Amino acid sequence: MGKGGQPRRALAHDGELGAAVTRAQDGDEAAFAVAYRLVQPGLLGYARGLVGDDAEDVTSDAWLEIARDLGRFKGDGAGFRGWTATIARHRALDHLRRQRVRPRPSALEQDVLDLPGPQSTPDQALEAISTERALELVAGLPRDQAEAVLLRVVVGLDGPAAARVLGKRPGAVRTAAYRGLKRLARQLGGESVTDEASRTLGDSKRTGDRDGA
């Protein structure tokens, strides 16, 4: 994990993403395609955790809005990921309201066998949450915990950015993410995973709690 609990891959691409977004705002279609390539996997995973098999439809609607409003965006690569996650969340909630259903929790079944056990490193356990099969397991968490874990681990947002997407205080999102990971670890029989998870996701009291926890 990188700074503030963000996946290293997200941090590594933030500079490239920010540059691509700037070029895309100037009308560079190839740059927009680069931004899409960097953002879509996390966005799709987040949407899948909310709406299941309808995630591709939701993200397609989100990208139409993103393309339409791109000129209004102001910020860097990390900010763009947060902005797009907010749009995707709104489209997902609209979809759920139309369908009059809640995110469908699924049985653990075989998915548990595909996730790391207690002998795995914390980074491996957190990375496993970003895999497609494991998203069904995350979707079985309470909504606030599921969204916090998805935004922090799958989309790669830091605490304050995830809090802005959800309209909550950073401390509340940090707590929800920790509780979600703790529940997942308990289901996997790997309680020790959460000790490290609390540090990698926690933004420690020196940062997260000062943001209004």
Side-chain angles (χ1 to χ4, degrees):
M1 299 289 289
K3 179 182 178 183
Q6 289 175 272
R8 294 188 185 96
R9 287 174 298 179
L11 285 169
H13 293 312
D14 274 353
E16 180 184 0
L17 176 58
V21 170
T22 297
R23 294 196 305 273
Q25 289 178 315
D26 291 333
D28 188 331
E29 293 183 4
F32 186 84
V34 170
Y36 176 89
R37 174 177 58 82
L38 293 175
V39 171
Q40 172 64 1
L43 213 60
L44 183 62
Y46 178 43
R48 185 169 287 119
L50 296 177
V51 301
D53 293 339
D54 295 326
E56 291 191 6
D57 291 339
V58 166
T59 55
S60 293
D61 289 344
W63 278 105
L64 288 175
E65 183 173 342
I66 291 165
R68 184 193 69 198
D69 296 340
L70 184 63
R72 302 177 186 177
F73 170 74
K74 298 183 185 299
D76 57 10
F80 185 74
R81 280 189 288 109
W83 182 64
T84 56
T86 300
I87 292 173
R89 183 174 192 264
H90 289 164
R91 297 291 71 75
L93 296 180
D94 286 345
H95 176 81
L96 291 173
R97 280 191 288 267
R98 287 195 302 268
Q99 298 297 319
R100 295 185 179 181
V101 297
R102 297 179 64 84
R104 299 180 296 276
S106 61
L108 303 184
E109 300 179 344
Q110 190 67 27
D111 288 343
V112 175
L113 301 179
D114 296 327
L115 292 173
Q119 75 281 0
S120 301
T121 66
D123 275 1
Q124 287 172 323
L126 294 175
E127 285 293 327
I129 297 172
S130 67
T131 65
E132 181 172 345
R133 290 178 64 102
L135 289 172
E136 293 186 8
L137 181 59
V138 177
L141 296 171
R143 169 67 74 84
D144 63 330
Q145 296 176 17
E147 286 207 70
V149 171
L150 289 166
L151 288 170
R152 297 299 308 274
V153 180
V154 179
V155 180
L157 302 183
D158 62 18
R164 286 192 292 272
V165 172
L166 297 175
K168 297 181 178 180
R169 295 178 300 174
V173 174
R174 177 170 60 86
T175 298
Y178 172 77
R179 289 176 177 169
L181 286 169
K182 184 175 181 180
R183 176 176 292 205
L184 291 174
R186 185 164 57 246
Q187 292 169 342
L188 296 169
E191 290 281 3
S192 62
V193 168
T194 58
D195 293 335
E196 183 69 17
S198 66
R199 289 192 288 272
T200 56
L201 286 181
D203 292 352
S204 78
K205 291 186 179 296
R206 290 191 301 273
T207 55
D209 290 350
R210 284 205 306 267
D211 292 320

